[in-house]
Amino acid sequence: MPIQRQELENYIGQLLAVTRFKDYAPNGLQVEGREQISKIVTGVTASLALIEAAIEQGADAILVHHGYFWKGEDPTITRTKKQRIAKLLLNDVNLFGYHLPLDAHETLGNNAQLAQKLGLIGTARFGEQELAWLGELPVPMSLDTFSQHIGLQLKRPALTLGDMNKTIRNVAWCTGGAQSYFREASNMNIDCFITGEASEFVTHLANESGVAYIAAGHHATERYGIAALGKHLAEEFGLEHIHLDLDNPV
């Protein structure tokens, strides 16, 4: 049974508490398409490849973590942005984007889903808007073993900085490009910090603080939240849902 576009947006807005967050892009409907929605496609980023694949699948709406209209970006609709938006408009397909609210959700969010994937037990939150998580491994393991475990679960090698023989039990994490949280996390009682990317400073901070650092991939750490949201919506409203995981090495 189809759902009205506005009903779907209202439901997700309440579910993810979007009004609670100060974000870098609008959360919710970003490009308006057809009013009736029966089939949704989810993916990490609203790239042209994702849009074309979703159209081939007959999607009425695309839900992503990385949408459009970011703070500070060129506001003109030209070049690649024109191609993407033109494809959506021509095919009357809705685009919904959910950024920080999707990172933060206690069960469907990227951090919650990554914890589930890696077997981490969350115990607390920290950082700006409480986006980052603290937790622990139920069974301690060496940094080398933990890094290999992450690589196997996320299906890509993880960049790991620190003493590979160090025992890992207490962990902090924040998916995506959250390397700036490492400064705060390194002052806490943790053995390791996990995020998606690494900047130059993290090597020195890991060496000097004794806290290991793992960059497991921006895309790799953030592909589970949007898929979980799509699955939830499909179950809640009887929608058809397809998750398209287009590989990204970053």
Side-chain angles (χ1 to χ4, degrees):
M1 180 113 181
I3 186 174
Q4 297 277 350
R5 179 182 59 238
Q6 190 62 57
E7 182 183 355
L8 182 62
E9 183 178 19
N10 290 346
Y11 178 84
I12 302 173
Q14 292 180 3
L15 177 68
L16 300 184
V18 298
T19 58
R20 183 170 73 83
F21 294 89
K22 295 179 180 178
D23 212 336
Y24 317 107
N27 288 290
L29 183 65
Q30 294 188 344
V31 179
E32 184 178 301
R34 61 188 68 114
E35 187 173 344
Q36 300 284 326
I37 296 172
S38 299
K39 187 172 187 177
I40 58 174
V41 162
T42 55
V44 176
T45 299
S47 64
L48 184 61
L50 179 69
I51 293 167
E52 290 177 338
I55 291 169
E56 287 181 9
Q57 294 290 339
D60 302 305
I62 304 170
L63 282 71
V64 296
H65 181 50
H66 301 138
Y68 303 153
F69 313 114
W70 297 93
K71 181 179 179 180
E73 79 171 25
D74 184 349
T76 60
I77 301 176
T78 58
R79 301 180 176 86
T80 57
K81 189 191 292 186
K82 178 201 170 184
Q83 293 176 4
R84 295 171 176 181
I85 294 175
K87 187 75 71 171
L88 290 166
L89 294 175
L90 181 64
N91 290 276
D92 205 21
V93 175
N94 297 281
L95 176 69
F96 295 85
Y98 296 96
H99 187 230
L100 296 185
L102 186 62
D103 287 321
H105 193 270
E106 61 271 17
T107 57
L108 302 176
N110 285 320
N111 285 312
Q113 290 291 312
L114 182 65
Q116 182 176 317
K117 189 73 176 175
L118 299 182
L120 299 170
I121 301 170
T123 57
R125 310 278 282 269
F126 73 98
E128 183 183 359
Q129 303 185 78
E130 295 190 327
L131 292 173
W133 287 44
L134 289 168
E136 61 184 21
L137 282 166
V139 178
M141 61 182 74
S142 70
L143 178 59
D144 183 49
T145 302
F146 188 39
S147 176
Q148 291 184 47
H149 167 68
I150 292 174
L152 286 172
Q153 291 301 310
L154 302 190
K155 298 180 174 58
R156 55 158 287 165
L159 171 65
T160 303
L161 305 172
D163 179 359
M164 301 304 283
N165 295 314
K166 176 184 176 70
T167 298
I168 305 300
R169 176 63 180 266
N170 298 312
V171 181
W173 66 94
C174 190
T175 63
Q179 53 265 54
S180 63
Y181 284 81
F182 187 39
R183 298 187 190 279
E184 182 177 353
S186 66
N187 292 320
M188 299 177 177
N189 182 31
I190 64 167
D191 305 307
C192 180
F193 179 75
I194 307 166
T195 187
E197 301 180 14
S199 295
E200 191 272 346
F201 78 89
V202 302
T203 299
H204 310 296
L205 187 54
N207 290 337
E208 294 166 21
S209 68
V211 176
Y213 185 97
I214 296 179
H218 194 132
H219 175 90
T221 58
E222 294 199 323
R223 59 187 167 198
Y224 304 108
I226 196 67
L229 176 61
K231 180 181 178 183
H232 172 83
L233 295 173
E235 293 171 350
E236 185 73 18
F237 298 106
L239 302 174
E240 186 177 352
H241 167 234
I242 298 173
H243 179 68
L244 297 177
D245 184 22
L246 304 186
D247 188 47
N248 186 331
V250 177

mmCIF file of all heavy atoms in Angstrom, residues 145-162:
data_model
loop_
_atom_site.group_PDB
_atom_site.id
_atom_site.type_symbol
_atom_site.label_atom_id
_atom_site.label_comp_id
_atom_site.label_asym_id
_atom_site.label_seq_id
_atom_site.Cartn_x
_atom_site.Cartn_y
_atom_site.Cartn_z
ATOM 1 N N THR A 145 44.352 -8.326 16.500
ATOM 2 C CA THR A 145 43.165 -9.173 16.307
ATOM 3 C C THR A 145 41.921 -8.324 16.075
ATOM 4 O O THR A 145 41.077 -8.649 15.228
ATOM 5 C CB THR A 145 42.961 -10.084 17.526
ATOM 6 O OG1 THR A 145 44.134 -10.889 17.703
ATOM 7 C CG2 THR A 145 41.754 -10.981 17.345
ATOM 8 N N PHE A 146 41.797 -7.247 16.829
ATOM 9 C CA PHE A 146 40.638 -6.366 16.697
ATOM 10 C C PHE A 146 40.606 -5.719 15.317
ATOM 11 O O PHE A 146 39.548 -5.636 14.672
ATOM 12 C CB PHE A 146 40.682 -5.298 17.785
ATOM 13 C CG PHE A 146 39.450 -4.436 17.875
ATOM 14 C CD1 PHE A 146 38.178 -4.974 17.708
ATOM 15 C CD2 PHE A 146 39.555 -3.078 18.146
ATOM 16 C CE1 PHE A 146 37.044 -4.180 17.807
ATOM 17 C CE2 PHE A 146 38.431 -2.285 18.253
ATOM 18 C CZ PHE A 146 37.172 -2.834 18.072
ATOM 19 N N SER A 147 41.746 -5.276 14.824
ATOM 20 C CA SER A 147 41.831 -4.673 13.492
ATOM 21 C C SER A 147 41.422 -5.668 12.414
ATOM 22 O O SER A 147 40.688 -5.336 11.478
ATOM 23 C CB SER A 147 43.249 -4.171 13.239
ATOM 24 O OG SER A 147 43.379 -3.661 11.928
ATOM 25 N N GLN A 148 41.890 -6.909 12.551
ATOM 26 C CA GLN A 148 41.518 -7.939 11.583
ATOM 27 C C GLN A 148 40.020 -8.236 11.648
ATOM 28 O O GLN A 148 39.368 -8.450 10.615
ATOM 29 C CB GLN A 148 42.317 -9.210 11.852
ATOM 30 C CG GLN A 148 43.802 -9.079 11.540
ATOM 31 C CD GLN A 148 44.554 -10.377 11.734
ATOM 32 O OE1 GLN A 148 44.121 -11.427 11.272
ATOM 33 N NE2 GLN A 148 45.680 -10.321 12.426
ATOM 34 N N HIS A 149 39.474 -8.259 12.866
ATOM 35 C CA HIS A 149 38.037 -8.475 13.058
ATOM 36 C C HIS A 149 37.227 -7.390 12.348
ATOM 37 O O HIS A 149 36.253 -7.688 11.634
ATOM 38 C CB HIS A 149 37.727 -8.478 14.555
ATOM 39 C CG HIS A 149 36.275 -8.388 14.889
ATOM 40 N ND1 HIS A 149 35.372 -9.409 14.606
ATOM 41 C CD2 HIS A 149 35.539 -7.389 15.469
ATOM 42 C CE1 HIS A 149 34.166 -9.045 15.012
ATOM 43 N NE2 HIS A 149 34.240 -7.837 15.526
ATOM 44 N N ILE A 150 37.648 -6.136 12.502
ATOM 45 C CA ILE A 150 36.952 -5.021 11.845
ATOM 46 C C ILE A 150 37.042 -5.167 10.329
ATOM 47 O O ILE A 150 36.052 -4.981 9.609
ATOM 48 C CB ILE A 150 37.536 -3.676 12.311
ATOM 49 C CG1 ILE A 150 37.199 -3.439 13.783
ATOM 50 C CG2 ILE A 150 37.022 -2.524 11.448
ATOM 51 C CD1 ILE A 150 37.848 -2.211 14.380
ATOM 52 N N GLY A 151 38.223 -5.495 9.841
ATOM 53 C CA GLY A 151 38.396 -5.679 8.403
ATOM 54 C C GLY A 151 37.496 -6.758 7.830
ATOM 55 O O GLY A 151 36.913 -6.599 6.754
ATOM 56 N N LEU A 152 37.351 -7.853 8.547
ATOM 57 C CA LEU A 152 36.486 -8.938 8.100
ATOM 58 C C LEU A 152 35.018 -8.525 8.113
ATOM 59 O O LEU A 152 34.268 -8.816 7.174
ATOM 60 C CB LEU A 152 36.686 -10.170 8.991
ATOM 61 C CG LEU A 152 37.983 -10.952 8.782
ATOM 62 C CD1 LEU A 152 38.146 -12.015 9.863
ATOM 63 C CD2 LEU A 152 38.013 -11.595 7.399
ATOM 64 N N GLN A 153 34.596 -7.837 9.171
ATOM 65 C CA GLN A 153 33.202 -7.448 9.290
ATOM 66 C C GLN A 153 32.811 -6.380 8.271
ATOM 67 O O GLN A 153 31.700 -6.408 7.732
ATOM 68 C CB GLN A 153 32.923 -6.922 10.712
ATOM 69 C CG GLN A 153 32.990 -7.987 11.787
ATOM 70 C CD GLN A 153 32.008 -9.115 11.556
ATOM 71 O OE1 GLN A 153 30.825 -8.889 11.329
ATOM 72 N NE2 GLN A 153 32.490 -10.348 11.594
ATOM 73 N N LEU A 154 33.712 -5.444 7.999
ATOM 74 C CA LEU A 154 33.407 -4.343 7.080
ATOM 75 C C LEU A 154 33.889 -4.617 5.656
ATOM 76 O O LEU A 154 33.685 -3.787 4.765
ATOM 77 C CB LEU A 154 34.023 -3.040 7.596
ATOM 78 C CG LEU A 154 33.591 -2.603 9.003
ATOM 79 C CD1 LEU A 154 34.086 -1.184 9.286
ATOM 80 C CD2 LEU A 154 32.089 -2.688 9.187
ATOM 81 N N LYS A 155 34.538 -5.741 5.480
ATOM 82 C CA LYS A 155 34.971 -6.191 4.142
ATOM 83 C C LYS A 155 35.961 -5.232 3.485
ATOM 84 O O LYS A 155 35.932 -5.003 2.277
ATOM 85 C CB LYS A 155 33.762 -6.417 3.223
ATOM 86 C CG LYS A 155 32.818 -7.503 3.724
ATOM 87 C CD LYS A 155 31.641 -7.685 2.786
ATOM 88 C CE LYS A 155 30.776 -8.866 3.209
ATOM 89 N NZ LYS A 155 30.248 -8.748 4.578
ATOM 90 N N ARG A 156 36.859 -4.672 4.307
ATOM 91 C CA ARG A 156 37.955 -3.864 3.783
ATOM 92 C C ARG A 156 38.993 -3.705 4.883
ATOM 93 O O ARG A 156 38.638 -3.635 6.069
ATOM 94 C CB ARG A 156 37.473 -2.490 3.301
ATOM 95 C CG ARG A 156 36.726 -1.668 4.316
ATOM 96 C CD ARG A 156 36.769 -0.192 3.973
ATOM 97 N NE ARG A 156 38.079 0.366 4.228
ATOM 98 C CZ ARG A 156 38.493 1.544 3.752
ATOM 99 N NH1 ARG A 156 37.703 2.248 2.966
ATOM 100 N NH2 ARG A 156 39.688 2.005 4.044
ATOM 101 N N PRO A 157 40.287 -3.638 4.530
ATOM 102 C CA PRO A 157 41.325 -3.475 5.563
ATOM 103 C C PRO A 157 41.162 -2.141 6.280
ATOM 104 O O PRO A 157 40.781 -1.135 5.677
ATOM 105 C CB PRO A 157 42.633 -3.517 4.766
ATOM 106 C CG PRO A 157 42.281 -4.122 3.456
ATOM 107 C CD PRO A 157 40.858 -3.752 3.182
ATOM 108 N N ALA A 158 41.444 -2.149 7.572
ATOM 109 C CA ALA A 158 41.351 -0.925 8.362
ATOM 110 C C ALA A 158 42.748 -0.358 8.594
ATOM 111 O O ALA A 158 43.684 -1.093 8.931
ATOM 112 C CB ALA A 158 40.670 -1.210 9.697
ATOM 113 N N LEU A 159 42.905 0.960 8.421
ATOM 114 C CA LEU A 159 44.158 1.630 8.766
ATOM 115 C C LEU A 159 44.242 1.678 10.288
ATOM 116 O O LEU A 159 43.380 2.259 10.952
ATOM 117 C CB LEU A 159 44.171 3.048 8.193
ATOM 118 C CG LEU A 159 45.323 3.944 8.655
ATOM 119 C CD1 LEU A 159 46.662 3.396 8.157
ATOM 120 C CD2 LEU A 159 45.116 5.377 8.161
ATOM 121 N N THR A 160 45.272 1.054 10.847
ATOM 122 C CA THR A 160 45.373 0.921 12.297
ATOM 123 C C THR A 160 46.684 1.510 12.783
ATOM 124 O O THR A 160 47.763 1.154 12.293
ATOM 125 C CB THR A 160 45.294 -0.563 12.706
ATOM 126 O OG1 THR A 160 44.070 -1.115 12.192
ATOM 127 C CG2 THR A 160 45.315 -0.721 14.212
ATOM 128 N N LEU A 161 46.595 2.401 13.771
ATOM 129 C CA LEU A 161 47.753 3.076 14.340
ATOM 130 C C LEU A 161 47.848 2.738 15.818
ATOM 131 O O LEU A 161 46.885 2.915 16.565
ATOM 132 C CB LEU A 161 47.632 4.596 14.166
ATOM 133 C CG LEU A 161 47.411 5.097 12.735
ATOM 134 C CD1 LEU A 161 47.104 6.582 12.734
ATOM 135 C CD2 LEU A 161 48.638 4.813 11.877
ATOM 136 N N GLY A 162 49.024 2.248 16.244
ATOM 137 C CA GLY A 162 49.225 1.917 17.645
ATOM 138 C C GLY A 162 50.002 0.627 17.798
ATOM 139 O O GLY A 162 50.370 -0.034 16.811
#
